[in-house]
Amino acid sequence: GDSVTQMEGPVTLSEEAFLTINCTYTATGYPSLFWYVQYPGEGLQLLLKATKADDKGSNKGFEATYRKETTSFHLEKGSVQVSDSAVYFCALSDNTNAGKSTFGDGTTLTVKP
Amino acid sequence: DTGVSQDPRHKITKRGQNVTFRCDPISEHNRLYWYRQTLGQGPEFLTYFQNEAQLEKSRLLSNRFSAERPKGSFSTLEIQRTEQGDSAMYLCASSLHRDRGNEQFFGPGTRLTVL
């Protein structure tokens, strides 16, 4: 079945540091890929997505590129802020009739001033 | 606010009791999903509806769990004879199914604690 593997956390960075959170996936067919974020006390919300190979999703300074050859979708940000502290989930959607999502276990990011 | 809502936000129950959760999706969304999330893990798919039809159920969904979406709008998830292992966050999400990359919009979740 489909699966998503994320870099284990927690990750602690200083403000303005560079962020990478690794994500690799296993899927049959051609999934769409997502990063969701969960801020403290809030629900999951979509951060960015990519629907085909070599697509780059971007939002709020975060980026991730759909790499079919390495089955990866790593999340990056050039300069993190304290407000980026949250749990980040990588996910794939199977693009079959169901469209259900498979999630990684999440990576907790803490950014210190 | 026209996002996905869930009720209740928290539920504490004793083992063996039945509980029911409600989800109100975004009004024009035709798909509704239920997920379960335990501490330190990502959401796990339970079941989904297209309009009022329940089209898929995960193997995680034992026969004590039942979900309905009677008019293709709100949905309920019932757990009968709750067990301590049912303690988790139950998430509802909705989407407008078109083609690839349909974004799912999540509700705040219902946190269930079974004593």
Side-chain angles (χ1 to χ4, degrees):
Chain A
D2 297 346
S3 67
V4 175
T5 302
Q6 279 184 243
M7 183 172 90
E8 288 189 19
V11 174
T12 302
L13 295 173
S14 297
E15 208 164 21
E16 299 183 2
F18 184 85
L19 169 71
T20 300
I21 300 178
N22 290 338
C23 171
T24 57
Y25 68 90
T26 302
T28 53
Y30 231 130
S32 293
L33 302 175
F34 305 83
W35 277 99
Y36 284 85
V37 60
Q38 188 169 31
Y39 297 104
E42 298 185 15
L44 278 166
Q45 53 187 277
L46 181 68
L47 180 60
L48 53 84
K49 69 177 184 182
T51 59
K52 60 183 187 296
D54 301 324
D55 265 4
K56 178 186 282 188
S58 61
N59 186 26
K60 299 181 181 180
F62 291 89
E63 293 183 339
T65 301
Y66 189 142
R67 300 288 188 200
K68 184 172 183 287
E69 63 277 12
T70 55
T71 62
S72 65
F73 193 55
H74 304 321
L75 182 68
E76 297 182 336
K77 186 175 185 182
S79 176
V80 294
Q81 305 300 312
V82 172
S83 58
D84 293 327
S85 297
V87 183
Y88 293 82
F89 293 91
C90 184
L92 66 83
S93 171
D94 62 11
N95 280 326
T96 62
N97 215 25
K100 64 182 183 288
S101 291
T102 300
F103 287 81
D105 286 339
T107 302
T108 300
L109 170 67
T110 301
V111 181
K112 298 190 170 181
Chain B
D1 184 14
T2 57
V4 178
S5 62
Q6 292 186 245
D7 183 71
R9 294 290 303 273
H10 303 272
K11 179 69 177 178
I12 299 174
T13 191
K14 293 182 179 179
R15 189 176 53 190
Q17 297 295 305
N18 299 344
V19 294
T20 300
F21 310 142
R22 178 181 170 121
C23 171
D24 286 89
I26 294 172
S27 58
E28 64 268 26
H29 285 182
N30 54 359
R31 288 209 168 164
L32 187 148
Y33 302 81
W34 285 99
Y35 293 86
R36 181 170 65 190
Q37 185 178 19
T38 53
L39 196 62
Q41 296 194 336
E44 294 176 298
F45 170 78
L46 293 178
T47 188
Y48 91 101
F49 294 82
Q50 171 125 345
N51 300 315
E52 66 276 7
Q54 186 174 18
L55 297 185
E56 186 173 339
K57 294 192 291 187
S58 164
R59 291 189 303 272
L60 294 174
L61 210 65
S62 79
N63 55 12
R64 294 184 297 105
F65 287 69
S66 61
E68 294 182 342
R69 195 183 183 196
K71 297 182 180 179
S73 56
F74 74 92
S75 175
T76 58
L77 177 69
E78 181 184 17
I79 309 174
Q80 296 182 326
R81 305 181 302 283
T82 52
E83 301 173 357
Q84 288 184 328
D86 296 332
S87 296
M89 179 76 86
Y90 289 84
L91 299 173
C92 175
S94 69
S95 72
L96 181 61
H97 181 65
R98 287 183 290 239
D99 48 25
R100 298 179 60 83
N102 303 301
E103 176 184 353
Q104 294 183 19
F105 292 79
F106 282 82
T110 295
R111 182 170 295 284
L112 173 65
T113 302
V114 181
L115 302 177

